[in-house]
Amino acid sequence: DTEVTQTPKHLVMGMTNKKSLKCEQHMGHRAMYWYKQKAKKPPELMFVYSYEKLSINESVPSRFSPECPNSSLLNLHLHALQPEDSALYLCASNRDRGFYGYTFGSGTRLTVV
Amino acid sequence: EDQVTQSPEALRLQEGESSSLNCSYTVSGLRGLFWYRQDPGKGPEFLFTLYSAGEEKEKERLKATLTKKESFLHITAPKPEDSATYLCAVQAREAAGNKLTFGGGTRVLVKP
């Protein structure tokens, strides 16, 4: 298995809703990432998990809450989002040790109404 | 601070018309440079990693090269299916969490 699987592919939520994005990989990668990408812009790093521990939080607002229940799963919990949070949310993974490229998932297209 | 600049922002090509994309970078000790292809609404798809100046890699109609200050992605005799956004990213030797710094991308449209 050489894939990063993200669900759902599309999500529409209201500003008072609570929802979660899910990311799964079975490549034995020990680093997992959340990126946010707005239209026609490059991906921006949000969070890094290394060996199931949060190692980087790029000053992301608390309405985004990451969780890494085990080495294969990464969640992003969403609460009280704003319309400007609408974007493509990308999950990625890599082996963490040494120099290895990322494998990206297909992303979740989030629309906040 | 690590910086990556890609040019041009957009490129329109006729099928078969070869061209090159540029990625200029400044980084405090390069660990590696990545090229990705991204289709609309999809995640980036890995193309190449380059580790040191002078290195070249090829895949079908694509060839990536690296110098100490920039990388080029050459597209030879492109086909419409090569239409995509091409992203360049660098990883610094001391990058916390193996963080990648991305450039703004080059949107390539190949017309039949």
Side-chain angles (χ1 to χ4, degrees):
Chain A
D1 188 350
T2 58
E3 288 188 346
V4 174
T5 302
Q6 289 189 243
T7 55
K9 293 193 182 305
H10 301 276
L11 179 62
V12 179
M13 60 185 291
M15 290 189 284
T16 59
N17 291 160
K18 286 185 180 181
K19 296 285 185 183
S20 296
L21 310 185
K22 181 179 173 182
C23 173
E24 192 167 3
Q25 58 87 13
H26 296 287
M27 295 177 281
H29 289 177
R30 301 311 298 269
M32 296 184 77
Y33 307 79
W34 281 114
Y35 277 81
K36 172 182 177 179
Q37 187 176 27
K38 303 282 274 185
K40 297 187 179 181
K41 297 290 187 182
E44 297 177 6
L45 182 65
M46 299 175 72
F47 302 104
V48 179
Y49 271 84
S50 178
Y51 290 81
E52 295 96 70
K53 292 189 189 317
L54 183 64
S55 62
I56 293 180
N57 176 341
E58 294 282 283
S59 303
V60 178
S62 60
R63 57 186 183 268
F64 295 91
S65 176
E67 178 197 20
C68 189
N70 59 56
S71 60
S72 299
L73 283 175
L74 184 66
N75 299 319
L76 186 63
H77 303 297
L78 314 172
H79 173 55
L81 294 192
Q82 303 297 310
E84 58 264 30
D85 296 320
S86 298
L88 182 68
Y89 287 83
L90 295 164
C91 175
S93 70
N94 80 345
R95 293 188 209 177
D96 182 59
R97 296 288 186 228
F99 172 55
Y100 298 105
Y102 288 17
T103 301
F104 280 91
S106 296
T108 294
R109 171 68 62 188
L110 174 68
T111 303
V112 182
V113 297
Chain B
E1 185 179 331
D2 303 335
Q3 288 194 328
V4 181
T5 303
Q6 291 187 245
S7 62
E9 289 187 8
L11 191 60
R12 294 166 69 99
L13 300 171
Q14 286 297 129
E15 184 172 3
E17 179 188 0
S18 301
S19 188
S20 294
L21 284 54
N22 177 264
C23 171
S24 298
Y25 65 89
T26 54
V27 64
S28 53
L30 179 70
R31 179 188 274 175
L33 183 142
F34 298 84
W35 281 99
Y36 285 90
R37 169 197 168 120
Q38 187 173 26
D39 293 306
K42 303 288 187 183
E45 175 189 344
F46 170 77
L47 293 174
F48 304 109
T49 53
L50 300 165
Y51 296 84
S52 57
E55 189 174 3
E56 299 182 352
K57 294 211 174 156
E58 286 188 69
K59 179 180 179 179
E60 295 180 355
R61 295 176 293 281
L62 301 176
K63 179 179 176 180
T65 62
L66 181 65
T67 73
K68 288 187 178 180
K69 294 184 178 181
E70 57 192 351
S71 177
F72 291 94
L73 184 66
H74 308 278
I75 310 178
T76 302
K79 298 182 177 182
E81 54 261 41
D82 295 321
S83 298
T85 295
Y86 291 86
L87 295 167
C88 172
V90 298
Q91 188 178 66
R93 203 168 287 126
E94 302 300 323
N98 292 336
K99 175 182 176 179
L100 291 184
T101 300
F102 283 89
T106 295
R107 294 189 305 280
V108 174
L109 176 63
V110 182
K111 295 191 138 189

